[in-house]
């Protein structure tokens, strides 16, 4: 019996040996991940300062995305933060989206 060590990074392979697959994220995951990213960006910039117009438009977009996939409560909380930016409204939106993310 002959033993050989195969190092996958150095092994020869042709493209036909590798399985082909395309994964596309589902719409709910994309909407939730986008909302988490934009809400984190808002917190990073500071919740005491006024929201810049670019951040407001991104928040509106993610609220629309959340609404489109049926997450209306999360969408409403993100819109509430956009309209009246404050730490309490950010916290409500962030917690709702975070819990939704954990429940996927």
């Amino acid at each position: 019996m002959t033993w050989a060590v195969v190092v996958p990074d150095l092994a020869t392979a042709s493209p036909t040996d590798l399985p082909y697959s395309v994964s596309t994220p589902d719409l709910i995951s994309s909407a939730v991940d986008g909302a988490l990213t934009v809400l984190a960006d808002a917190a990073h910039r500071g919740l005491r300062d006024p929201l810049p117009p670019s951040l407001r438009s991104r928040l509106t977009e993610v609220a629309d995305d959340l609404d489109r996939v049926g997450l209306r409560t999360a969408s409403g909380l993100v819109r509430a933060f956009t309209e009246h930016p404050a730490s309490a409204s950010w916290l409500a939106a962030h917690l709702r989206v975070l819990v939704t993310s954990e429940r996927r």
Side-chain angles (χ1 to χ4, degrees):
M1 176 178 251
T2 305
W3 293 91
V5 176
V6 177
V7 180
D9 287 343
L10 302 176
T12 58
S14 66
T16 58
D17 294 340
L18 301 175
Y20 178 77
S21 68
V22 175
S23 64
T24 56
D26 62 295
L27 296 175
I28 293 174
S29 291
S30 295
V32 169
D33 291 343
L36 285 173
T37 300
V38 176
L39 287 167
D41 191 27
H44 179 72
R45 290 175 183 255
L47 298 174
R48 293 183 186 197
D49 299 329
L51 296 176
S54 62
L55 186 56
R56 280 186 184 275
S57 68
R58 288 174 55 207
L59 285 163
T60 301
E61 288 173 19
V62 297
D64 291 342
D65 291 344
L66 291 168
D67 192 45
R68 196 172 301 115
V69 297
L71 300 173
R72 288 173 179 62
T73 303
S75 173
L77 290 169
V78 171
R79 285 185 203 285
F81 170 66
T82 305
E83 294 166 5
H84 305 289
S87 57
S89 59
W90 177 87
L91 181 62
H94 184 69
L95 284 177
R96 181 63 180 213
V97 174
L98 187 62
V99 168
T100 302
S101 173
E102 293 292 324
R103 299 290 300 171
R104 291 186 265 180

